[in-house]
Amino acid sequence: MTKDVIALTPKMPDTRSLLAGLHAGGPELSLTATDDGAVLQLCTTGGRPLVSVEAPVLVHVPGEAERLLGPQVTAPELPFWWTETRASTAIREAEALAGSVCGRLTMLLGGTSWPPGAAHTAHVPIPDDSTTDERPQTRPSPLPIVDVLTDSTAVVLADRPLVPLSAWLSDLLRTTAQTNRAFHLVTPPHVRLTLPLRTALGGAPNRWVIQDPAGGYYDGLSGVRLAWRDGTFTPTDTTVADAFTAASTPVEQRQLTVSFRTVHAPDADLVLGRALETAWRHLTGAAPTGWGTAEPVNLPWSPRQLTDLARDRAPSPTHLIAIGNSDHPAIATHRITRTTAGVAEDTALTLGYATPAEIPLSALESLAATLVSSHGLTTMLTTLRNGRTDLTLPAHLEAPPLPVSFTLGPRDVRAIGLTHARRPPLATKPRQLGSPSYPALHYPLGDGHDAEAWTALQSLTVHLKNGPGVASSA
């Protein structure tokens, strides 16, 4: 398994301290960097990658080290520098070398390392492989520290309690897509994923592959048994591994997800992220605490800085993560794109609750009304599911989310036709929101307990697609 070792330091790892760490294996090792310089690779004399070191990240967000590394970690006072190293599984000495890199950083700069006991300052002798023809890959790879690389798939082995969407994994997912490869993350069954990583994985051909204690492998999201064939993991049949169904999430814990799209005119004074902040305040009583493009989420919440980044990246889309106060678990993925209608923001905000009684279902209609009147809401779907309060994803069966409500913005209501849109085949009639002359419609679908809510949502979708305005414009 690939071993990650992280240094948390109060001072920035400068060139001198980084070189001291990277020389833990001796000055004869070579050093390479990715094109953007975000990842350094320490390689053997023969060019085999040993350890990758991500560019240090300055973390300003309280509780982020504890969220990703566990409550036992003792991080320096904010802000602190997070430097992540990753050891290859191809060479036995790589893990010790990663520990020595981090140990030397904390010796020079102060702070602490994770996991406990992994860091040290000893010299790690690395065998000279410059004269051997052995190579883990037969051609140069654009992918830093992958454990297996085939024509179709890049495989990474990981073993840490929680795997986040690090800058390295984000780059790796993007590069695999660009090279027409699947990305397969292989872990033991105790490992969990953060919601941003789960979202970034998407669906096939990417996979989360679990090593079955009973032998073999299974899919961490569906439980389907897998086998390694022709350079990739593929389903063996439709049977589900026993280990996937054996464990369960505590029955009282819930996750509420509010997924919505807002669209704005692309004027010079536009500030993005305000709809997300409005939803966050409406449901938690406070704004997000931080944002970033990967985990750890490192920047204090700032819609204006978020907007500046999106402008710099336009016309390419911008993918962001927002995090809330640890007292009220909440996390959002946020995508900003240019469309023919303007600047679109797609948000999926998920909140964790220890008991169903805490869930603010009564606040959803007023949230929809606020987003309609002030933020250009086009659609909003709210779902509820049995899931961990800490918003992490385990490799076992969890019940699917159930729809609670759906909101259709004024533009689509007008396109479909108000008369048709407000007469769906549902037991509960929609509520009209916003301006009487240009209304939105809010459709209650259930309370998050009845699976028939999916049937109601499907009936509503078919009804709206068959509206006279839709037919005439088709």
Side-chain angles (χ1 to χ4, degrees):
M1 288 290 173
T2 301
K3 298 296 184 180
D4 301 340
V5 186
I6 300 166
L8 308 175
T9 60
K11 298 179 182 178
M12 178 181 177
D14 55 12
T15 302
R16 181 179 67 89
S17 56
L18 280 173
L19 285 175
L22 292 170
H23 280 158
E28 65 275 6
L29 300 182
S30 62
L31 188 63
T32 63
T34 54
D35 291 340
D36 58 2
V39 179
L40 297 175
Q41 286 191 103
L42 194 59
C43 303
T44 66
T45 50
R48 301 173 71 182
L50 287 163
V51 172
S52 69
V53 183
E54 289 188 22
V57 174
L58 183 60
V59 177
H60 293 268
V61 180
E64 192 64 349
E66 292 79 4
R67 180 178 77 90
L68 297 179
L69 304 179
Q72 76 280 2
V73 70
T74 303
E77 291 186 8
L78 294 172
F80 61 85
W81 291 90
W82 177 302
T83 306
E84 191 151 340
T85 66
R86 184 163 294 100
S88 169
T89 58
I91 298 178
R92 179 171 53 85
E93 293 83 1
E95 183 180 345
L97 182 58
S100 187
V101 170
C102 285
R104 293 176 181 220
L105 288 179
T106 55
M107 179 187 68
L108 291 170
L109 305 172
T112 188
S113 59
W114 180 94
H120 60 92
T121 58
H123 173 73
V124 181
I126 304 297
D128 184 351
D129 65 350
S130 59
T131 59
T132 179
D133 289 334
E134 259 188 68
R135 293 292 184 273
Q137 299 156 357
T138 59
R139 57 191 179 282
S141 169
L143 310 176
I145 304 293
V146 296
D147 294 284
V148 178
L149 183 66
T150 70
D151 289 336
S152 65
T153 306
V155 179
V156 167
L157 312 179
D159 185 3
R160 55 193 282 183
L162 182 64
V163 182
L165 181 63
S166 65
W168 168 69
L169 279 180
S170 180
D171 289 342
L172 188 53
L173 281 160
R174 184 167 49 252
T175 306
T176 52
Q178 291 171 350
T179 57
N180 295 315
R181 289 185 175 92
F183 171 73
H184 290 179
L185 177 69
V186 182
T187 75
H190 68 267
V191 172
R192 292 169 286 119
L193 306 186
T194 64
L195 278 180
L197 178 54
R198 166 65 186 94
T199 301
L201 277 176
N206 297 337
R207 289 189 185 279
W208 179 21
V209 181
I210 308 300
Q211 294 178 318
D212 193 336
Y217 302 89
Y218 62 90
D219 190 288
L221 303 178
S222 68
V224 171
R225 296 184 185 278
L226 304 172
W228 179 257
R229 293 174 179 168
D230 300 323
T232 193
F233 284 99
T234 58
T236 58
D237 49 43
T238 59
T239 60
V240 174
D242 292 339
F244 185 73
T245 57
S248 63
T249 297
V251 66
E252 290 290 298
Q253 297 186 14
R254 294 289 189 275
Q255 293 176 5
L256 179 72
T257 299
V258 183
S259 302
F260 58 93
R261 165 172 272 215
T262 56
V263 179
H264 321 277
D267 62 67
D269 297 325
L270 175 63
V271 177
L272 301 168
R274 286 180 170 171
L276 169 59
E277 180 175 331
T278 294
W280 214 294
R281 288 185 182 277
H282 198 91
L283 297 174
T284 71
T289 57
W291 73 283
T293 58
E295 295 175 293
V297 174
N298 64 312
L299 299 171
W301 176 248
S302 171
R304 196 161 294 279
Q305 291 182 0
L306 181 156
T307 303
D308 290 341
L309 176 65
R311 289 186 191 279
D312 289 343
R313 292 188 172 185
S316 297
T318 298
H319 297 263
L320 306 170
I321 302 166
I323 194 76
N325 190 297
S326 58
D327 294 337
H328 193 145
I331 195 166
T333 55
H334 191 68
R335 185 173 188 264
I336 301 166
T337 53
R338 288 296 301 268
T339 71
T340 56
V343 181
E345 295 182 89
D346 291 283
T347 303
L349 167 59
T350 301
L351 305 100
Y353 299 93
T355 65
E358 301 174 11
I359 305 168
L361 294 182
S362 60
L364 296 176
E365 184 177 335
S366 58
L367 170 60
T370 300
L371 294 176
V372 166
S373 62
S374 302
H375 298 284
L377 181 75
T378 62
T379 58
M380 185 176 92
L381 175 65
T382 304
T383 61
L384 188 63
R385 69 192 295 259
N386 176 223
R388 292 175 59 105
T389 303
D390 63 9
L391 306 180
T392 63
L393 185 74
H396 62 66
L397 179 64
E398 290 190 324
L402 296 174
V404 173
S405 63
F406 177 75
T407 305
L408 190 67
R411 185 188 63 184
D412 289 334
V413 168
R414 173 171 288 184
I416 292 167
L418 177 59
T419 300
H420 181 83
R422 66 184 178 187
R423 294 179 179 174
L426 302 177
T428 304
K429 297 304 179 184
R431 275 80 150 175
Q432 191 166 304
L433 308 176
S435 167
S437 61
Y438 192 50
L441 291 173
H442 179 75
Y443 303 87
L445 299 170
D447 59 3
H449 293 94
D450 189 355
E452 287 300 312
W454 277 116
T455 303
L457 179 60
Q458 185 179 26
S459 297
L460 173 61
T461 302
V462 171
H463 176 78
L464 295 176
K465 287 182 177 180
N466 291 332
V470 175
S472 63
S473 62

